[in-house]
Amino acid sequence: MADFDCFNTSLEGRLLFAVPKKGRLNQSALNLLEGADIQFRRENRLDIALVKNLPIALIFLPAADIPTFVGEGQVDLGITGLDQVQEHDAGVRALHRARRFSGEITPEEEVAQNGRGSGCETVLDLGFGGCKLQVQVPQNGIYKSPKDLIGKNIGTSFVHLARKYFANLELEVDSAKTQTGSHQAGFTSKLRTNIIELSGSVEAACALGVADGIVDLVESGETMKAAGLKPIDTVVETSAILIKSRKPSNQELVDLIAQRIRGVITAQKYVLCQYNIQRSTLAEASKIAPGKRAPTVTSLDEEGWVAVSVMVEKKKIALIMDGLSKIGAHDILVLDIKNSRD
């Protein structure tokens, strides 16, 4: 664990908020903080930044490490990928299992520790960084199904999720053969599939002869295609999430940050649609654009007419404008929403 002793004075009384220091989640996370009015200035090469307008310190960490820091209570809050949280959880369970096999803990203690989880709690889905953790194999190779990879070499940086995936796959195959299904994957037999830990350029592992298949994150899929790979299964569908420790130092501040971030996400998803329409047609218009909760309706000076304001999903706005125009709405305007609160 990182030692923050030299920062004790500046960090005292501040909520520690972990942010990805680089990679695919970094810029979107910073944009989210800006939208939530979390003001800070990060000095060059420093991984700690003090927030100016709130008692918060931002800690810049690798996304893969954030679940560990949050889960162990070293940091109160964090932004990372669901894939990283699930990899961390799988690692914690693997550790408990190993301790049980070594006799350090009893089976009952293992169950109890697994029941307590890894110490991370999901606050909300942040709506960006969507991708898939997939099993990929050479496009022109002999492997057509994940089961074909049992007993083969698998390259990945997600070793715990990969082991869990192939342990379950081996159990499925073994159960089908024996028709008993009485043992649990990874508990009574050694994993036959060889999981090779790689820290980068995982997509090159097959071409270089290091692995027969890989388990890696895929966004558009273009990188995998360029490497001559194709997907044959999805292990996890992931996106960025906000997580907190089980016992944050300031729950009220955690709730405030979550509320602000939720407002930013809503503002990114919706626009404000305003239009004028005859009151007699209002019910029909409300069916076309019901709003996030309900439209705001104001009477106009012209008898029988009303002005309507309604929040509409950005991706639906063109069709909604077409529909409103068709039933006689006039002066239809669309305005961006900079921020919001539920």
Side-chain angles (χ1 to χ4, degrees), residues 126-203:
L126 300 177
F128 64 84
C131 57
K132 297 177 181 179
L133 184 65
Q134 292 186 321
V135 182
Q136 297 261 343
V137 295
Q139 292 175 4
N140 300 319
I142 61 174
Y143 307 114
K144 309 300 181 185
S145 160
K147 293 178 183 178
D148 296 336
L149 291 171
I150 291 177
K152 306 300 181 181
N153 295 320
I154 306 298
T156 185
S157 58
F158 292 84
V159 292
H160 298 298
L161 283 176
R163 283 178 182 142
K164 178 181 176 182
Y165 174 86
F166 280 98
N168 288 333
L169 202 60
E170 290 180 15
L171 171 62
E172 182 183 335
V173 170
D174 293 344
S175 297
K177 288 180 179 178
T178 62
Q179 295 297 309
T180 62
S182 58
H183 65 287
Q184 289 183 295
F187 279 70
T188 59
S189 61
K190 184 178 179 181
L191 189 69
R192 300 194 298 277
T193 307
N194 182 31
I195 307 300
I196 303 170
E197 184 172 7
L198 301 173
S199 59
S201 300
V202 177
E203 69 277 2

Side-chain angles (χ1 to χ4, degrees), residues 257-302:
I257 294 169
Q259 182 186 51
R260 287 191 180 189
I261 290 176
R262 194 175 287 111
V264 174
I265 293 170
T266 298
Q268 292 172 345
K269 185 178 180 181
Y270 288 86
V271 291
L272 185 66
C273 181
Q274 297 181 333
Y275 60 92
N276 297 332
I277 197 165
Q278 289 183 317
R279 186 177 290 277
S280 60
T281 319
L282 180 59
E284 190 176 355
S286 296
K287 291 179 181 178
I288 296 171
K292 190 169 182 287
R293 182 162 297 163
T296 299
V297 181
T298 306
S299 296
L300 295 177
D301 286 343
E302 186 174 349

Side-chain angles (χ1 to χ4, degrees), residues 90-102:
V92 170
R93 287 176 176 270
L95 177 61
H96 294 163
R97 186 161 61 250
R99 293 183 65 203
R100 196 255 289 181
F101 279 139
S102 69

